Amino acid sequence: DSNNTREHPLYLLQMEGISSDTRLGIVTSRWHLRRTRREFSRHYSSVQYRGAWAQPRGTRWYEKPVPNSETFWHSNFFLIELAGLAWYETKAVLSRA
C-alpha cells in the first residue's frame, strides 16, 4: 500500500509481527540503495542491504565519450535519486522542528 520509499518502512511496521527490532533484508537497485538505507534506518535497528544492479562489463557509462540513450538514462536516474534524497532529508528535518 505504500507509494514511495519514505512510506515503505512505515507500512511495514503496521504489519502483524513486525517491530522496529525485526531483522530485515532489503534488496534494491544500487542507485536507490542510499535513500533506502536512510529511510529504513530511521525505523529499524537491524537491516542488511544489497544492491541488485551491476555495471555492464567494459567501459562504465560515465566514461563513454559519446552520449547515448544508456548514458542519458543513468544520468536521469542519478538526478532523480539526488532530488529524492534532498526531499526526504528536508521532510525529516521539518518533522523534527
Side-chain angles (χ1 to χ4, degrees), residues 15-48:
M15 294 176 69
E16 187 176 330
I18 303 290
S19 72
S20 61
D21 294 328
T22 302
R23 295 179 65 188
L24 299 176
I26 305 293
V27 178
T28 188
S29 70
R30 288 187 183 179
W31 287 105
H32 195 59
L33 194 57
R34 191 163 112 185
R35 186 168 15 154
T36 301
R37 184 177 291 147
R38 281 187 181 179
E39 293 307 309
F40 275 85
S41 66
R42 295 181 202 278
H43 304 282
Y44 297 92
S45 57
S46 179
V47 184
Q48 294 293 317

Side-chain angles (χ1 to χ4, degrees), residues 65-85:
V66 179
N68 59 37
S69 61
E70 181 185 356
T71 57
F72 176 75
W73 184 87
H74 286 283
S75 299
N76 185 51
F77 200 76
F78 178 72
L79 293 173
I80 290 169
E81 281 302 311
L82 285 180
L85 283 167

Side-chain angles (χ1 to χ4, degrees), residues 4-10 35 39 43 87-88 91-92 95:
N4 55 51
T5 306
R6 191 166 187 270
E7 292 178 356
H8 291 337
L10 298 172
R35 186 168 15 154
E39 293 307 309
H43 304 282
W87 176 245
Y88 285 9
K91 289 185 76 103
S95 70

